[in-house]
Structure formats: structure tokens, C-alpha cells
């Protein structure tokens, strides 16, 4: 029986040759002085172009949202030019690629920011239990500075400008990073958002940044080119959500009418987000499990078969298996990645993981005539 992961997907706004997405993976190899992606990024992403959809590593919309050394931006013309090479290479290889828009909020450090700036956050709540990676090694977090209302509004505009740059750079769409304890989830969570202005104070206040960023980005590039990633109940980066069901039901209900490309849910905590939110979301749903082991093919197949997601994203497996769909299709063994070569560095551990077969894109007749060859048409808004 054909794996549901290998079947084409024909959704409201996305037509994909398979249901395997490459999850966003920070590789920290950009030129740290310019924020321009590494010259090999085009090779790395093109090698993975048989994914139904590639979502890039997180990319900052403002340098104050930069996590640490080697994280790329999408603000300057040089950065746009660097990403244009990536999108050209992926498209030439038949792939579809969205850029992930990522502001880290308090998850950075003055050593990572220009002029030793203090990290921004909804409220001045410091990370206590973890250390943060900088060019000088791992150090204690500092107390972030609570953003003014005007700074929050300026950040929404930064996301919209980044989305515009992404389309200029040839991306097929953008994914707003609302997950994993970064800026947007810091606004969503009760323990990190103690604001009393319209961006805090109540459930409606806490979801407002996520809603307004998505609305602004959608107004800029069209809702059919916009996805949102969330990780309800995620404890990472000292997030503690008291009422994930209430928060995320309200968020999803606010965003569903916009007609977005997709919602990307990382299921991690006790709250069964996929089962709870799937019935409330009428567009494409991408699932992901962020457990101690990489999401397995079987877990993803079961979730799709159960109707919990339309597409599943794989992160760690894509690091060492550039041709993951081919390996799933043929049963070829899965390679493991070298942990020390994930972040930073050069070609090693980046573009030197071989394909299982010399003919990577040759996925058999199941894929011939698929939308991969008519990418632009695939992303045209489809009648709903
Ligand atoms: C090295 C690495 C880098 C990651 N970078 C990002 C990122 O930039 N943005 C993001 O949303 N998630 C990021 N993640 C989370 C992954 O997208 C994914 O949710 C996680 O790896 C779980 O999926 P998996 O079990 O298939 O690996 C990263 C994970 C890893 C292992």
C-alpha cells in the first residue's frame, strides 16, 4: 500500500507532489557580518528539493531579532540577493520553498546584537535555567527589555517588510515563526507576557501580536502565501502556558477566516494540539512532533491516516537524508547526522550527506506529471 506521505497533496492553496515537508532547521552558517546566507545554502536546499515543501531555517526581520552567530537576515539587498540564489536553485530542481520569518525576542544576548543592545521581549522576564549561545560561548541570559507599544507595532511592520523581501527573493511563500518560545510565543504565554497594553492583559491581548503579524504579512504578500507555525504547550525556552487549549483555539479561530496557505503545528506537550485544532482549521494543516527522537515515518503516516494533518514535516531526518522522500519510497536506509556539524562551519555536515541513489529526483511514475514541474501554477490561489 502506498504510504500516505507519498501521495500528492491538492489543498486549498498548495499543490504538492508529496506530503513530506522539510521542517525549518537553523544551520547557523550565514556570514555573521552581513547576514547573507552561506554560498552553499543553494546547494543544501536544492539537494532537498524533492520534499513536497521546504521551509527554510529561521531568518530575522530585524537584527534585534537575531538569535546568534551565523543566523541569516532578509532585510538588506545583499541578503535578498543571497536568498534569490537559493530560491533559483530550488526551483531549478523542481522544489517549492517558503522562508521562515523568525524574531527571537528574549532568546538572544547583547553579545549577539549590534552595539550590545538589550534583547527585546513582551515583558522584562529573564530566562533563568538555560544559557545562551554567543560568539564568546554559552553565557547567562540578561533580563530583556519590555517593548513599548510603538516597538511592537514597528516589529509587525518589520515582519511585513521581511515577507515582501521574501517574495522579491523568489520565495513561494513565508512561514511566520510563532513557535518554540520565540517572540510570538513569548507574547502568547502567560508567564512571559505581563503587559497591560493591548498586546497583553487577556487572552485576546496575548494572541494579538500573532494575529496582527499574520494579518500584516498576508496583506503584504497575499494570505495564500502565508503559513504560521505554532507549538502549543511547548515548554522549550522557559515557556509555561496555563491554558494552551483556550489560547490556541482563540488564535486559530481568529486566523481561520483569513484563508492562509497553512497552519504548521508542533505537538509537544500534554495538550493534543493536532486533534483539538484540526477541526477548527479549514486550510492545510502541517503536523510535526518535536520529541527526543526524530519524527518517524510511521508516526507521521498514522497522523495523516487519522486525519490529524494533511502534510507532515521532518526536521532531523532531512539533515543527513537529502533525498528523504526517495528513501521513504524505496525503503532505503536512513542515515544519521553528525551532531557536532549541525550548527556553523562549512560544507562538512551540510552538503556532503549523499543521496541514497545517484538519481535522486527519479521518484518513479507516481510523481511524474506532478505539480513539481509547474511550481508557479501550483501556488496560485485555488478555489476554495
Ligand atoms: C538543528 C535544528 C534546528 C532547528 N531550527 C529551527 C528553526 O529555525 N525554526 C523552527 O521553527 N524550528 C526549528 N527546529 C525545530 C524543527 O523544525 C522540528 O520542529 C524538530 O526538529 C522536530 O522535528 P523532527 O522530529 O522531525 O526533527 C530546529 C530543530 C533542529 C534539530
Amino acid at each position: 500500500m502506498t504510504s500516505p506521505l507519498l501521495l500528492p497533496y491538492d489543498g486549498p492553496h498548495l499543490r504538492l507532489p508529496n506530503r513530506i515537508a522539510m521542517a525549518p532547521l537553523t544551520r547557523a552558517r550565514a556570514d555573521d557580518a552581513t547576514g547573507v546566507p552561506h554560498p552553499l545554502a543553494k546547494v543544501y536546499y536544492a539537494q532537498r528539493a524533492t520534499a513536497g515543501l521546504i521551509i527554510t531555517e529561521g531568518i530575522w526581520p530585524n537584527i534585534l531579532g537575531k538569535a546568534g552567530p551565523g543566523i541569516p537576515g532578509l532585510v538588506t539587498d545583499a541578503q535578498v540577493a543571497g536568498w534569490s540564489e537559493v530560491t533559483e536553485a530550488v526551483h531549478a530542481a523542481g522544489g517549492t520553498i517558503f522562508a521562515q520569518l523568525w524574531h527571537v525576542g528574549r532568546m538572544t544576548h547583547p553579545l549577539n546584537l549590534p552595539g550590545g543592545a538589550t534583547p527585546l521581549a513582551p515583558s522584562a522576564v529573564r530566562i533563568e535555567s538555560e544559557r545562551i549561545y554567543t560568539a564568546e560561548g554559552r553565557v547567562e541570559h540578561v533580563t530583556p527589555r519590555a517593548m513599548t507599544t510603538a516597538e511592537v507595532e514597528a516589529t509587525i511592520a518589520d515582519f511585513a517588510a521581511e515577507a515582501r523581501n521574501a517574495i522579491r527573493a523568489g520565495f513561494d511563500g513565508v512561514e511566520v515563526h510563532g513557535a518554540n518560545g520565540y517572540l510570538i510565543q513569548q507574547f502568547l504565554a502567560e508567564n512571559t507576557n505581563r503587559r497591560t497594553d493591548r498586546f497583553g492583559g487577556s487572552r485576546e491581548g496575548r494572541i494579538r501580536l500573532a494575529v496582527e503579524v499574520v494579518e500584516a504579512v498576508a496583506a503584504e504578500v497575499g494570505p495564500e502565501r502565508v503559513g504560521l507555525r505554532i507549538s502549543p504547550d511547548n515548554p522549550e525556552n522557559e515557556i509555561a502556558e496555563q491554558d494552551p487549549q483556550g489560547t490556541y483555539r482563540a488564535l486559530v479561530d481568529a486566523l481561520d477566516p483569513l484563508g492562509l496557505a497553512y497552519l504548521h503545528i508542533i505537538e509537544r506537550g500534554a495538550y493534543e494540539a493536532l486533534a483539538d485544532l484540526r477541526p477548527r482549521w479549514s486550510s492545510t494543516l502541517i503536523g510535526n512532533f518535536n520529541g527526543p527522537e526524530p519524527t518517524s515515518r510511521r508516526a507521521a503516516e498514522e497522523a495523516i491516516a487519522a486525519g490529524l494533518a494533511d502534510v507532515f514535516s521532518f526536521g532531523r531526518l532531512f539533515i543527513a537524508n537529502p533525498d528523504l522522500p526517495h528513501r521513504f519510497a524505496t525503503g532505503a536506509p536512513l542515515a544519521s547526522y553528525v551532531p557536532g556539524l549541525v550548527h556553523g562551519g562549512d560544507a562538512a555536515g551540510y552538503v556532503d550527506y549523499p543521496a541514497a541513489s545517484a538519481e535522486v529526483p527519479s521518484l518513479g511514475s507516481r510523481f511524474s506529471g506532478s505539480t513539481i514541474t509547474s511550481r508557479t501554477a501550483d501556488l496560485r490561489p485555488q478555489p476554495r
Side-chain angles (χ1 to χ4, degrees), residues 197-361:
D197 68 356
R198 66 190 190 93
F199 292 101
S202 63
R203 180 186 294 155
E204 285 60 41
R206 285 184 287 102
I207 69 169
R208 195 179 309 278
L209 178 68
V211 171
E212 292 197 6
V213 166
V214 170
E215 284 176 346
V217 166
E220 198 64 52
V221 302
E224 72 285 352
R225 290 179 184 272
V226 180
L228 171 69
R229 192 171 212 215
I230 55 174
S231 56
D233 207 13
N234 148 71
E236 226 172 277
N237 297 328
E238 280 187 18
I239 288 292
E241 293 181 315
Q242 287 162 18
D243 177 24
Q245 184 181 72
T247 298
Y248 288 93
R249 282 185 171 186
L251 178 63
V252 166
D253 291 350
L255 294 178
D256 190 55
L258 297 187
L260 300 182
Y262 65 81
L263 178 67
H264 189 174
I265 298 180
I266 304 172
E267 187 165 287
R268 164 89 187 239
Y271 166 51
E272 293 185 353
L274 289 170
D276 192 49
L277 298 174
R278 165 80 276 191
R280 311 177 89 88
W281 185 252
S282 45
S283 181
T284 300
L285 202 148
I286 305 179
N288 179 258
F289 294 132
N290 192 4
E293 296 298 322
T295 300
S296 70
R297 168 186 176 163
R298 179 183 291 261
E301 285 174 347
E302 285 173 1
I304 290 182
L308 295 177
D310 303 299
V311 174
F312 233 77
S313 71
F314 296 85
R316 286 163 285 184
L317 287 183
F318 260 112
I319 296 177
N321 299 281
D323 55 343
L324 191 62
H326 176 80
R327 292 185 198 225
F328 284 169
T330 60
L334 297 175
S336 303
Y337 64 86
V338 182
L341 298 176
V342 170
H343 290 118
D346 228 310
Y350 192 43
V351 294
D352 58 354
Y353 292 108
S357 146
E359 296 177 351
V360 184

